[in-house]
């Protein structure tokens, strides 16, 4: 009896996973490695950031213009992985979703494989891998 219940549970988890992939709302693959990069493009200002998911907290400081930090992660089986980041410099701050299962965001990030975010004085930019240009996505809160 226990073996049958375990088998049913495994089948349920498997089919839920298939259903989330079949929805077609993302091109993210559970278990595949994805990356977020944060770039400091501020003039002579230190950038501090904290990026969080349900399982991880990544905190780092980028003291100089041109400094960057990249981290990798894997999408969970249910496709619910989300990373949000809090970027700060001087008295400016912004919190945003750096990676989530969103068609437009994943398309801009080249299928979600590599989301590159750049901090500048006038806002936070995302590198559009499809067209090779930077798009301002967020402005700083004072």
């Amino acid at each position: 009896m226990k073996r049958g219940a375990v088998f049913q549970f495994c089948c349920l988890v498997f089919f839920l996973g298939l259903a989330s992939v079949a929805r077609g709302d993302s091109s993210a693959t559970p278990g595949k490695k994805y990356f977020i990069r944060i770039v400091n493009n501020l003039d002579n200002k230190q950038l501090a950031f904290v990026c969080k998911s349900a399982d991880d907290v990544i905190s780092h400081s980028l003291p100089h213009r041109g400094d960057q930090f990249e981290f990798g992660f894997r999408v969970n089986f249910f496709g619910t992985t989300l990373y949000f980041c809090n970027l700060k410099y001087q008295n400016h701050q912004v919190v945003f979703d750096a990676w989530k299962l969103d068609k437009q965001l994943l398309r801009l990030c080249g299928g979600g494989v590599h989301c590159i975010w750049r901090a500048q004085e006038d806002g936070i930019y995302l590198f559009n891998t499809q067209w090779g240009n930077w798009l301002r996505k967020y402005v700083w809160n004072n």
Side-chain angles (χ1 to χ4, degrees):
M1 189 66 130
K2 281 186 178 181
R3 210 163 93 183
V6 170
F7 176 76
Q8 287 177 344
F9 176 75
C10 289
C11 286
L12 174 66
V13 169
F14 176 76
F15 286 113
L16 285 174
L18 283 179
S20 69
V21 171
R23 282 191 319 243
D25 58 358
S26 79
S27 60
T29 304
K32 182 176 178 180
K33 194 152 190 179
Y34 296 89
F35 298 91
I36 295 173
R37 183 185 307 171
I38 307 292
V39 179
N40 180 353
N41 201 43
L42 300 166
D43 288 325
N44 299 315
K45 297 173 188 92
Q46 179 171 308
L47 175 69
F49 70 87
V50 177
C51 294
K52 297 181 180 181
S53 73
D55 302 318
D56 296 310
V57 176
I58 292 105
S59 179
H60 202 72
S61 179
L62 302 171
H64 307 288
R65 183 183 184 124
D67 288 350
Q68 45 190 293
F69 183 83
E70 181 175 281
F71 62 93
F73 59 93
R74 297 188 190 283
V75 174
N76 65 28
F77 184 74
F78 297 104
T80 58
T81 302
L82 164 71
Y83 269 92
F84 69 92
C85 294
N86 183 353
L87 277 60
K88 297 179 185 179
Y89 86 94
Q90 293 178 339
N91 63 337
H92 303 285
Q93 175 178 344
V94 65
V95 178
F96 62 94
D97 292 339
W99 197 98
K100 64 181 179 178
L101 292 177
D102 174 80
K103 274 187 175 183
Q104 182 181 6
L105 179 63
L106 296 179
R107 184 175 37 80
L108 292 171
C109 294
V113 174
H114 216 129
C115 290
I116 305 170
W117 297 94
R118 182 171 76 183
Q120 296 184 184
E121 278 78 3
D122 65 339
I124 307 301
Y125 289 74
L126 175 63
F127 186 69
N128 179 347
T129 58
Q130 185 177 24
W131 298 103
N133 62 330
W134 292 94
L135 302 170
R136 187 168 72 171
K137 300 294 281 180
Y138 304 98
V139 295
W140 297 100
N141 301 320
N142 294 346

